[in-house]
Amino acid sequence: MAHAFWKNFLGNSPVWYKQAIIGFLVLNPLILYALGPFVAGWILIGEFIFTLALALKCYPLQPGGLLAIEAVILGMTSPQMVFEETVANFEVILLLMFMVAGIYFMKDLLLFVFTKLLINVRSKVALSVLFSFVAAVLSAFLDALTVTAVLISVGVGFYNVYHRVASSSGELAGNDDDDVHHDHRESLEQFRAFLRSLLMHGAVGTALGGVCTLVGEPQNLLIATVAGWDFITFFLLMAPVTMPVLACGLLTCIILEATGYFGYGTTMPEKVRDILVDYQIEEEKKRDALLNAKLVTQGLVAAILVIALALHLAAVGLIGLMVIVLLTAFNGITEEHQIGHAFEEALPFTALLVVFFAIVAVIHDQHLFSPVINAVLAMEADLRPPMFFLANGILSMISDNVFVATVYINEVKAALDAGTISRKEFDQLAIAINTGTNLPSVATPNGQAAFLFLLTSALAPLINLSYGRMVIMAFPYTLVLGGVGYWAVTQFIVG
């Protein structure tokens, strides 16, 4: 019986992984008793990052959830605080529940458009810059998670098309290559590397664009609300930092593709291109009035989606629900099981995000970031903006950038209200907080919700995109975005 329980625990995860999780759960109460909640809280963060780093061994929801439950039982946070953190991020949860599902019903149009793009743009450098720039522009006016959902949907679609031809089963068989024809295996590995690089360029693009406007990321809107900035004011105040970073980010994309460093530079195999061309020809042959009507419907709804998001007619999640209703109603998708498939991608990540908020609640209750915040606030006025940029960037790599921005902007607002700092200093620090939480946080998947979404998506295991690989591929971007951002803050914001 004991053997059966052990075999069931975390399923097919490696034995050493199971032992590590059990070890964490056993040691945490001892650490809390011996070293106190502050040290235990930081160790808990490290353990949670461990579960994210090994997401391909076991989906982080289960081990991370066990750690979060234990933290609540040990009194490191409370169910009420977890609830409050979740409610504070309800718009993000609503977005994941409905917008990602809405994108699912648009996959025919997305695959149609991006297949033409991949076939017609043969230069990998041009294609990579295009992916990054389009992701940046869309993220500035729409939402980074929505854009990432599009990238994931496109990636899965391309992988599916090729894998069906490459495997003897004729179906998408995951990342198990046992049924892949021998003469296709090398091309499949090359295609995976090709997709990894495109998706990472696109994911970084969401950060490049997301930092520019008050709607690009959730924390931007929070900072703008506290500061009293409108859309134009926010954009103009951030531009001295965000525009140089955007230019250098796109230049980095070109250099990485030209040099092939850090896992970039892989081109699309000719076998794959031939298969995609054949796929497009076959799809053209099969396209009748019914399929054309579906594509037109999806195109019209996509236009409505862009307009609704750009004008912020409602919460992003509610707009996503509208997309689901329109696409299913006008494309004849009326059975419950057909609709249910659309929610399979996002709901596990939504649950994981709530577990993440439990860890954030521990950070809040145990004041884990307070020493860093107090140390920066105690510095000279000229040093504060660049130090705020660095502190927010480093803490956002570890924690949630929305939480970090909330803590810092509230502290700065309190200092303004108390007369400790001037309005000019407040604006400088708010710019540093916004750019700090958005730019260096690309270093780790847990630093950006869009990166974490990509890591835990169904696509990541298909293309062998692990936590470690994401960190390595993001490293040059981290240096450039963080370095140029820091330089811009010191040059254009201070003074």
PDB file of all heavy atoms in Angstrom, residues 437-462:
ATOM      1  N   THR A 437      10.230  47.268 -13.034  1.00  0.00           N
ATOM      2  CA  THR A 437       9.432  46.036 -12.916  1.00  0.00           C
ATOM      3  C   THR A 437       9.169  45.383 -14.265  1.00  0.00           C
ATOM      4  O   THR A 437       8.898  44.185 -14.337  1.00  0.00           O
ATOM      5  CB  THR A 437       8.069  46.322 -12.233  1.00  0.00           C
ATOM      6  OG1 THR A 437       7.391  47.377 -12.940  1.00  0.00           O
ATOM      7  CG2 THR A 437       8.246  46.714 -10.787  1.00  0.00           C
ATOM      8  N   ASN A 438       9.274  46.151 -15.360  1.00  0.00           N
ATOM      9  CA  ASN A 438       8.953  45.612 -16.683  1.00  0.00           C
ATOM     10  C   ASN A 438      10.149  45.083 -17.456  1.00  0.00           C
ATOM     11  O   ASN A 438      10.007  44.120 -18.220  1.00  0.00           O
ATOM     12  CB  ASN A 438       8.270  46.689 -17.530  1.00  0.00           C
ATOM     13  CG  ASN A 438       6.786  46.783 -17.288  1.00  0.00           C
ATOM     14  OD1 ASN A 438       6.035  45.892 -17.650  1.00  0.00           O
ATOM     15  ND2 ASN A 438       6.353  47.860 -16.656  1.00  0.00           N
ATOM     16  N   LEU A 439      11.332  45.683 -17.294  1.00  0.00           N
ATOM     17  CA  LEU A 439      12.445  45.373 -18.195  1.00  0.00           C
ATOM     18  C   LEU A 439      13.390  44.283 -17.680  1.00  0.00           C
ATOM     19  O   LEU A 439      13.499  43.226 -18.311  1.00  0.00           O
ATOM     20  CB  LEU A 439      13.198  46.655 -18.536  1.00  0.00           C
ATOM     21  CG  LEU A 439      12.359  47.702 -19.290  1.00  0.00           C
ATOM     22  CD1 LEU A 439      13.132  48.993 -19.475  1.00  0.00           C
ATOM     23  CD2 LEU A 439      11.901  47.148 -20.640  1.00  0.00           C
ATOM     24  N   PRO A 440      14.073  44.465 -16.545  1.00  0.00           N
ATOM     25  CA  PRO A 440      14.989  43.401 -16.096  1.00  0.00           C
ATOM     26  C   PRO A 440      14.267  42.107 -15.728  1.00  0.00           C
ATOM     27  O   PRO A 440      14.891  41.048 -15.681  1.00  0.00           O
ATOM     28  CB  PRO A 440      15.663  44.011 -14.853  1.00  0.00           C
ATOM     29  CG  PRO A 440      15.420  45.487 -14.934  1.00  0.00           C
ATOM     30  CD  PRO A 440      14.122  45.635 -15.640  1.00  0.00           C
ATOM     31  N   SER A 441      12.960  42.179 -15.508  1.00  0.00           N
ATOM     32  CA  SER A 441      12.199  41.000 -15.087  1.00  0.00           C
ATOM     33  C   SER A 441      12.089  39.937 -16.179  1.00  0.00           C
ATOM     34  O   SER A 441      11.595  38.829 -15.926  1.00  0.00           O
ATOM     35  CB  SER A 441      10.798  41.407 -14.617  1.00  0.00           C
ATOM     36  OG  SER A 441      10.113  42.121 -15.628  1.00  0.00           O
ATOM     37  N   VAL A 442      12.555  40.254 -17.401  1.00  0.00           N
ATOM     38  CA  VAL A 442      12.556  39.226 -18.461  1.00  0.00           C
ATOM     39  C   VAL A 442      13.586  38.135 -18.168  1.00  0.00           C
ATOM     40  O   VAL A 442      13.618  37.104 -18.852  1.00  0.00           O
ATOM     41  CB  VAL A 442      12.839  39.832 -19.856  1.00  0.00           C
ATOM     42  CG1 VAL A 442      11.796  40.863 -20.219  1.00  0.00           C
ATOM     43  CG2 VAL A 442      14.237  40.424 -19.932  1.00  0.00           C
ATOM     44  N   ALA A 443      14.392  38.329 -17.132  1.00  0.00           N
ATOM     45  CA  ALA A 443      15.463  37.379 -16.815  1.00  0.00           C
ATOM     46  C   ALA A 443      14.938  35.998 -16.476  1.00  0.00           C
ATOM     47  O   ALA A 443      15.580  34.981 -16.775  1.00  0.00           O
ATOM     48  CB  ALA A 443      16.315  37.913 -15.659  1.00  0.00           C
ATOM     49  N   THR A 444      13.768  35.914 -15.837  1.00  0.00           N
ATOM     50  CA  THR A 444      13.229  34.620 -15.413  1.00  0.00           C
ATOM     51  C   THR A 444      11.765  34.497 -15.820  1.00  0.00           C
ATOM     52  O   THR A 444      11.062  35.517 -15.908  1.00  0.00           O
ATOM     53  CB  THR A 444      13.326  34.444 -13.883  1.00  0.00           C
ATOM     54  OG1 THR A 444      12.492  35.438 -13.252  1.00  0.00           O
ATOM     55  CG2 THR A 444      14.757  34.594 -13.400  1.00  0.00           C
ATOM     56  N   PRO A 445      11.273  33.285 -16.029  1.00  0.00           N
ATOM     57  CA  PRO A 445       9.861  33.114 -16.371  1.00  0.00           C
ATOM     58  C   PRO A 445       8.913  33.617 -15.288  1.00  0.00           C
ATOM     59  O   PRO A 445       7.817  34.092 -15.603  1.00  0.00           O
ATOM     60  CB  PRO A 445       9.729  31.591 -16.555  1.00  0.00           C
ATOM     61  CG  PRO A 445      11.093  31.156 -16.962  1.00  0.00           C
ATOM     62  CD  PRO A 445      12.036  32.039 -16.201  1.00  0.00           C
ATOM     63  N   ASN A 446       9.302  33.520 -14.008  1.00  0.00           N
ATOM     64  CA  ASN A 446       8.417  34.006 -12.959  1.00  0.00           C
ATOM     65  C   ASN A 446       8.435  35.527 -12.864  1.00  0.00           C
ATOM     66  O   ASN A 446       7.622  36.117 -12.160  1.00  0.00           O
ATOM     67  CB  ASN A 446       8.749  33.391 -11.596  1.00  0.00           C
ATOM     68  CG  ASN A 446      10.214  33.280 -11.323  1.00  0.00           C
ATOM     69  OD1 ASN A 446      10.929  32.584 -12.036  1.00  0.00           O
ATOM     70  ND2 ASN A 446      10.691  33.957 -10.295  1.00  0.00           N
ATOM     71  N   GLY A 447       9.354  36.190 -13.573  1.00  0.00           N
ATOM     72  CA  GLY A 447       9.402  37.648 -13.557  1.00  0.00           C
ATOM     73  C   GLY A 447       8.329  38.284 -14.410  1.00  0.00           C
ATOM     74  O   GLY A 447       7.925  39.410 -14.167  1.00  0.00           O
ATOM     75  N   GLN A 448       7.871  37.566 -15.448  1.00  0.00           N
ATOM     76  CA  GLN A 448       6.843  38.087 -16.347  1.00  0.00           C
ATOM     77  C   GLN A 448       5.745  37.043 -16.489  1.00  0.00           C
ATOM     78  O   GLN A 448       6.013  35.888 -16.799  1.00  0.00           O
ATOM     79  CB  GLN A 448       7.442  38.373 -17.728  1.00  0.00           C
ATOM     80  CG  GLN A 448       8.432  39.510 -17.776  1.00  0.00           C
ATOM     81  CD  GLN A 448       7.801  40.796 -18.281  1.00  0.00           C
ATOM     82  OE1 GLN A 448       6.710  40.794 -18.828  1.00  0.00           O
ATOM     83  NE2 GLN A 448       8.497  41.898 -18.091  1.00  0.00           N
ATOM     84  N   ALA A 449       4.503  37.457 -16.306  1.00  0.00           N
ATOM     85  CA  ALA A 449       3.377  36.523 -16.422  1.00  0.00           C
ATOM     86  C   ALA A 449       3.328  35.897 -17.815  1.00  0.00           C
ATOM     87  O   ALA A 449       3.008  34.712 -17.970  1.00  0.00           O
ATOM     88  CB  ALA A 449       2.058  37.237 -16.111  1.00  0.00           C
ATOM     89  N   ALA A 450       3.665  36.691 -18.844  1.00  0.00           N
ATOM     90  CA  ALA A 450       3.647  36.165 -20.210  1.00  0.00           C
ATOM     91  C   ALA A 450       4.681  35.058 -20.386  1.00  0.00           C
ATOM     92  O   ALA A 450       4.423  34.049 -21.051  1.00  0.00           O
ATOM     93  CB  ALA A 450       3.911  37.297 -21.202  1.00  0.00           C
ATOM     94  N   PHE A 451       5.861  35.228 -19.774  1.00  0.00           N
ATOM     95  CA  PHE A 451       6.901  34.206 -19.848  1.00  0.00           C
ATOM     96  C   PHE A 451       6.467  32.937 -19.108  1.00  0.00           C
ATOM     97  O   PHE A 451       6.688  31.816 -19.575  1.00  0.00           O
ATOM     98  CB  PHE A 451       8.202  34.733 -19.235  1.00  0.00           C
ATOM     99  CG  PHE A 451       9.020  35.592 -20.158  1.00  0.00           C
ATOM    100  CD1 PHE A 451       8.417  36.576 -20.940  1.00  0.00           C
ATOM    101  CD2 PHE A 451      10.392  35.433 -20.255  1.00  0.00           C
ATOM    102  CE1 PHE A 451       9.166  37.373 -21.789  1.00  0.00           C
ATOM    103  CE2 PHE A 451      11.151  36.230 -21.108  1.00  0.00           C
ATOM    104  CZ  PHE A 451      10.532  37.204 -21.867  1.00  0.00           C
ATOM    105  N   LEU A 452       5.873  33.126 -17.937  1.00  0.00           N
ATOM    106  CA  LEU A 452       5.419  31.980 -17.143  1.00  0.00           C
ATOM    107  C   LEU A 452       4.316  31.226 -17.882  1.00  0.00           C
ATOM    108  O   LEU A 452       4.265  29.997 -17.863  1.00  0.00           O
ATOM    109  CB  LEU A 452       4.920  32.461 -15.780  1.00  0.00           C
ATOM    110  CG  LEU A 452       4.581  31.381 -14.749  1.00  0.00           C
ATOM    111  CD1 LEU A 452       5.790  30.507 -14.455  1.00  0.00           C
ATOM    112  CD2 LEU A 452       4.060  32.017 -13.464  1.00  0.00           C
ATOM    113  N   PHE A 453       3.452  31.972 -18.550  1.00  0.00           N
ATOM    114  CA  PHE A 453       2.378  31.366 -19.343  1.00  0.00           C
ATOM    115  C   PHE A 453       2.962  30.515 -20.463  1.00  0.00           C
ATOM    116  O   PHE A 453       2.504  29.392 -20.720  1.00  0.00           O
ATOM    117  CB  PHE A 453       1.477  32.476 -19.898  1.00  0.00           C
ATOM    118  CG  PHE A 453       0.255  31.980 -20.620  1.00  0.00           C
ATOM    119  CD1 PHE A 453      -0.378  30.803 -20.251  1.00  0.00           C
ATOM    120  CD2 PHE A 453      -0.272  32.705 -21.670  1.00  0.00           C
ATOM    121  CE1 PHE A 453      -1.511  30.347 -20.919  1.00  0.00           C
ATOM    122  CE2 PHE A 453      -1.408  32.271 -22.347  1.00  0.00           C
ATOM    123  CZ  PHE A 453      -2.024  31.085 -21.969  1.00  0.00           C
ATOM    124  N   LEU A 454       3.991  31.033 -21.119  1.00  0.00           N
ATOM    125  CA  LEU A 454       4.648  30.286 -22.199  1.00  0.00           C
ATOM    126  C   LEU A 454       5.321  29.028 -21.653  1.00  0.00           C
ATOM    127  O   LEU A 454       5.211  27.949 -22.245  1.00  0.00           O
ATOM    128  CB  LEU A 454       5.666  31.185 -22.897  1.00  0.00           C
ATOM    129  CG  LEU A 454       6.526  30.555 -24.000  1.00  0.00           C
ATOM    130  CD1 LEU A 454       5.650  29.991 -25.110  1.00  0.00           C
ATOM    131  CD2 LEU A 454       7.504  31.574 -24.574  1.00  0.00           C
ATOM    132  N   LEU A 455       6.004  29.164 -20.517  1.00  0.00           N
ATOM    133  CA  LEU A 455       6.714  28.025 -19.924  1.00  0.00           C
ATOM    134  C   LEU A 455       5.771  26.885 -19.559  1.00  0.00           C
ATOM    135  O   LEU A 455       6.105  25.711 -19.733  1.00  0.00           O
ATOM    136  CB  LEU A 455       7.481  28.479 -18.678  1.00  0.00           C
ATOM    137  CG  LEU A 455       8.161  27.376 -17.857  1.00  0.00           C
ATOM    138  CD1 LEU A 455       9.314  26.754 -18.635  1.00  0.00           C
ATOM    139  CD2 LEU A 455       8.663  27.927 -16.526  1.00  0.00           C
ATOM    140  N   THR A 456       4.592  27.220 -19.040  1.00  0.00           N
ATOM    141  CA  THR A 456       3.660  26.191 -18.562  1.00  0.00           C
ATOM    142  C   THR A 456       2.608  25.831 -19.603  1.00  0.00           C
ATOM    143  O   THR A 456       1.660  25.110 -19.299  1.00  0.00           O
ATOM    144  CB  THR A 456       2.961  26.673 -17.273  1.00  0.00           C
ATOM    145  OG1 THR A 456       2.293  27.918 -17.527  1.00  0.00           O
ATOM    146  CG2 THR A 456       3.962  26.867 -16.150  1.00  0.00           C
ATOM    147  N   SER A 457       2.762  26.330 -20.831  1.00  0.00           N
ATOM    148  CA  SER A 457       1.797  26.030 -21.890  1.00  0.00           C
ATOM    149  C   SER A 457       2.031  24.637 -22.463  1.00  0.00           C
ATOM    150  O   SER A 457       3.069  24.010 -22.225  1.00  0.00           O
ATOM    151  CB  SER A 457       1.906  27.068 -23.015  1.00  0.00           C
ATOM    152  OG  SER A 457       3.133  26.894 -23.718  1.00  0.00           O
ATOM    153  N   ALA A 458       1.073  24.181 -23.249  1.00  0.00           N
ATOM    154  CA  ALA A 458       1.201  22.879 -23.914  1.00  0.00           C
ATOM    155  C   ALA A 458       2.315  22.894 -24.950  1.00  0.00           C
ATOM    156  O   ALA A 458       2.840  21.839 -25.327  1.00  0.00           O
ATOM    157  CB  ALA A 458      -0.127  22.516 -24.586  1.00  0.00           C
ATOM    158  N   LEU A 459       2.706  24.079 -25.407  1.00  0.00           N
ATOM    159  CA  LEU A 459       3.737  24.181 -26.443  1.00  0.00           C
ATOM    160  C   LEU A 459       5.140  23.942 -25.896  1.00  0.00           C
ATOM    161  O   LEU A 459       5.986  23.372 -26.591  1.00  0.00           O
ATOM    162  CB  LEU A 459       3.660  25.565 -27.100  1.00  0.00           C
ATOM    163  CG  LEU A 459       4.682  25.864 -28.190  1.00  0.00           C
ATOM    164  CD1 LEU A 459       4.522  24.893 -29.360  1.00  0.00           C
ATOM    165  CD2 LEU A 459       4.535  27.305 -28.680  1.00  0.00           C
ATOM    166  N   ALA A 460       5.413  24.388 -24.668  1.00  0.00           N
ATOM    167  CA  ALA A 460       6.774  24.328 -24.113  1.00  0.00           C
ATOM    168  C   ALA A 460       7.396  22.932 -24.182  1.00  0.00           C
ATOM    169  O   ALA A 460       8.527  22.779 -24.652  1.00  0.00           O
ATOM    170  CB  ALA A 460       6.783  24.865 -22.682  1.00  0.00           C
ATOM    171  N   PRO A 461       6.695  21.869 -23.714  1.00  0.00           N
ATOM    172  CA  PRO A 461       7.319  20.535 -23.815  1.00  0.00           C
ATOM    173  C   PRO A 461       7.470  20.052 -25.255  1.00  0.00           C
ATOM    174  O   PRO A 461       8.380  19.273 -25.548  1.00  0.00           O
ATOM    175  CB  PRO A 461       6.364  19.631 -23.018  1.00  0.00           C
ATOM    176  CG  PRO A 461       5.071  20.357 -22.960  1.00  0.00           C
ATOM    177  CD  PRO A 461       5.420  21.812 -22.979  1.00  0.00           C
ATOM    178  N   LEU A 462       6.607  20.516 -26.146  1.00  0.00           N
ATOM    179  CA  LEU A 462       6.705  20.086 -27.545  1.00  0.00           C
ATOM    180  C   LEU A 462       7.990  20.574 -28.194  1.00  0.00           C
ATOM    181  O   LEU A 462       8.592  19.879 -29.010  1.00  0.00           O
ATOM    182  CB  LEU A 462       5.503  20.603 -28.347  1.00  0.00           C
ATOM    183  CG  LEU A 462       4.107  20.128 -27.925  1.00  0.00           C
ATOM    184  CD1 LEU A 462       3.050  20.739 -28.840  1.00  0.00           C
ATOM    185  CD2 LEU A 462       4.006  18.612 -27.946  1.00  0.00           C
TER     186      LEU A 462
END
